[in-house]
Amino acid sequence: TQVLFGGEFYSLGGAPRSNLAAVSARTGELLPWGANASNPVYALAYGTNQVFAGGTFTNVNGTDAAGLVALDPTTGASLADFAFTATNDSYNPAIYSLLYTDGKLYLGGQFSSVGGSTARGLAAVNPILAVPLTFAPNVRGGSKGPAALALGGDTLYLGGDFTQVGGVSRYRLAAVNASDGTLLDWNPAPNRDVKSLSL
């Protein structure tokens, strides 16, 4: 009954909204749901009674948030149990893609660690507590890393502006084992950035 969306905006229909908002799926009317993000939101994903938002923000609803937050789908309130932490060398972490499936949340972007564990560019976390899972393909290069994710069976496809996965050259498109992040042979090598994927 509602459409949630994120981006880079500060109002909707004359009402204040900071980079996150909801409208009626039937009428397009602005709904009360609203979470306030300090910077743009680039990715959304639905979990079980959760909405995940990723972006370049450092604060959501007045609480520190390192580029990723879990929200109540009814009220927009931040879910305190989802305590995501990340680093990005000397910069703020940025999340550009999200994919939720079977109790696992994949995230792609610019970061060097998640929850105190080394994870560069692509990681997976427990969707309830944000604890990092054993999944670290080590994606490097580019300014955004994986900007799009798609899952087919036990294969996770990633697209973006990266140049390396698992220590091997992979330009902008790659496939990894969805369970452990092992790089697969699939290698189309497009000559420009990949911004979306669909299976």
Side-chain angles (χ1 to χ4, degrees):
T1 59
Q2 61 183 9
V3 178
L4 308 182
F5 60 97
E8 188 174 0
F9 52 89
Y10 58 85
S11 71
L12 182 68
R17 289 291 187 274
S18 296
N19 304 310
L20 282 162
V23 297
S24 166
R26 185 173 61 86
T27 66
E29 179 185 4
L30 180 66
L31 298 176
W33 188 93
N36 297 309
S38 61
N39 281 309
V41 173
Y42 290 101
L44 291 173
Y46 261 106
T48 303
N49 298 318
Q50 301 160 289
V51 175
F52 301 101
T56 56
F57 49 79
T58 58
N59 182 289
V60 174
N61 294 331
T63 302
D64 290 343
L68 178 62
V69 67
L71 305 168
D72 185 301
T74 303
T75 67
S78 301
L79 301 179
D81 288 345
F82 189 83
F84 178 77
T85 60
T87 61
N88 183 24
D89 298 326
S90 58
Y91 302 94
N92 290 327
I95 306 302
Y96 293 106
S97 56
L98 294 171
L99 191 155
Y100 173 87
T101 180
D102 296 333
K104 181 184 292 186
L105 180 67
Y106 295 100
L107 48 133
Q110 283 290 324
F111 48 83
S112 54
S113 76
V114 170
S117 299
T118 299
R120 190 171 291 275
L122 182 61
V125 299
N126 175 289
I128 304 301
L129 303 176
V131 176
L133 304 177
T134 304
F135 178 86
N138 190 19
V139 180
R140 295 175 177 266
S143 61
K144 291 187 176 182
L149 300 172
L151 185 67
D154 198 35
T155 299
L156 180 67
Y157 298 90
L158 48 147
D161 65 351
F162 51 84
T163 58
Q164 192 181 94
V165 178
V168 179
S169 292
R170 281 291 188 275
Y171 291 97
R172 307 171 189 93
L173 269 176
V176 300
N177 182 287
S179 299
D180 60 16
T182 303
L183 180 65
L184 304 178
D185 290 337
W186 190 76
N187 185 20
N191 67 343
R192 297 292 296 270
D193 298 357
V194 174
K195 301 181 186 296
S196 60
L197 289 171
S198 178
L199 270 74

